[in-house]
Amino acid sequence: MKFSKRVSSIQPSATLAINAKAQELRAQGENVFSLAVGEPDFPTPQHIVNAAKDALDQGFTRYTAVPGMPELRKAVAGYFSRTYGVECSQNEVIVSNGGKQCLYNLLQVLVDSGDEVLIPGPYWVSYPDMVQLAEGIPVIVPTEPEDDFLVTTRELEQYATSRTKVLILNTPSNPTGCHYRLEKLEELARWAVSRNIFVICDEVYDQLVYPPAEPASLCSFWTRHPDMVAIVNGLSKTFSMTGWRIGYVLAQQDLVKAMSKVQGQSTSNVCSFAQKGALAGLEDSFAMVGEMRASFARRRDLALDIIGTWKGAVCPRPQGAFYVFPRVDAFYNDRVDSSTELCKVILEEEKIALVPGQAFGDDRCVRISYAVSDEVLKDCLSRIGALLARLG
Ligand SMILES: Cc1ncc(COP(=O)(O)O)c(C=O)c1O
């Protein structure tokens, strides 16, 4: 069958593919551990689950408004006010199927054929493919582990052209866990605006930043440049709600309307009772998030302690999300000469799934998720360390 050029140009999500491979091995009876997971290993808080159940029992099972229930959009606006002291209206918020659909809609609305989109690398797997689906051209701006994988305005300047339309920022980052301080984030945004480049800031991990680092959002900058910035966030990581598919965008009203038009011709509203759950989450205290944050901070330290013993690996200290992204190419040899080969060997010999850095645009690294128990993390990282020592 002949498919469109559009779909032929994109890759399946590498992270989903690795997890599928691990599940396949498990189904064959293998005891496989996955450090490839992109979701918190905590249950969704019970009050959120109950709110969705109640909604079902009450027959709240019909279409809602395309950009989300007004109460939920208002609650999202309340989140920005409570967390960052930024006032906005519900008309400046759209609720979509995860941060993923938010990003997809934004790129569909902002990017024309041939427009260039700057993406600092390593990047979240879906950005370049989403840009291509919008017929844009992803332009990767590489960063180094020695610089904590943080991009500078000078580096962005080198890759910007007259066709550059959008810059995608992500903090804390998937896959590196590295995080921009607010001043630094705003400096990048100021540079973009001065070049008439629209900024999409992906903040889906903003609640998972580990002290002394502090969450940083471009929402305050957005109030000063409403037609040049959009903030993407969601509840997947915040409340461990990955399967519920709740994401949202804060943006200028006309942009929200344009995204709503795209959403209205594709998926329509997010699942009605999932929205009710999301509302309960946003309106309640964030107590569970604090517990989750403390666990992740502890596991981050645990992971860094063990990776620190891998002689030859370079690993910046992540300040958020639940990933570490060590550079491990010092262990490559004639047989194992790429991150994909290395992950294959680790899966085959140790039955541990990781995601190759190549999927995130850096073949020197591997992504390790610490959204697993302390015991599994310790055991897996020690075994990987021993395997690397055998290779190196
Ligand atoms: C950086 C980043 N952005 C966006 C998403 C999308 O998440 P969701 O669609 O579940 O909100 C993810 C998920 O892994 C992510 O890591």
Side-chain angles (χ1 to χ4, degrees), residues 116-124 127-128 137-145 147-161 164 166-170 173 175-176 180 188 191 197 325 360-362 364:
E116 294 177 2
V117 177
L118 291 177
I119 306 175
Y123 46 77
W124 181 50
Y127 297 147
I137 301 167
V139 176
I140 309 304
V141 184
T143 64
E144 292 298 320
D147 301 326
D148 287 340
F149 292 116
L150 299 178
V151 79
T152 62
T153 51
R154 190 162 355 134
E155 287 159 342
L156 291 172
E157 189 67 57
Q158 279 170 21
Y159 289 82
T161 72
T164 307
V166 175
L167 163 67
I168 304 181
L169 295 172
N170 171 215
S173 150
T176 69
Y180 292 96
L188 297 175
W191 169 83
I197 296 170
F325 199 63
F360 308 95
D362 195 331
R364 303 168 300 177

Side-chain angles (χ1 to χ4, degrees), residues 326-340:
R327 178 174 173 180
V328 288
D329 56 338
F331 301 98
Y332 294 174
N333 58 29
D334 290 349
R335 188 172 61 97
V336 179
D337 58 358
S338 67
S339 59
T340 306

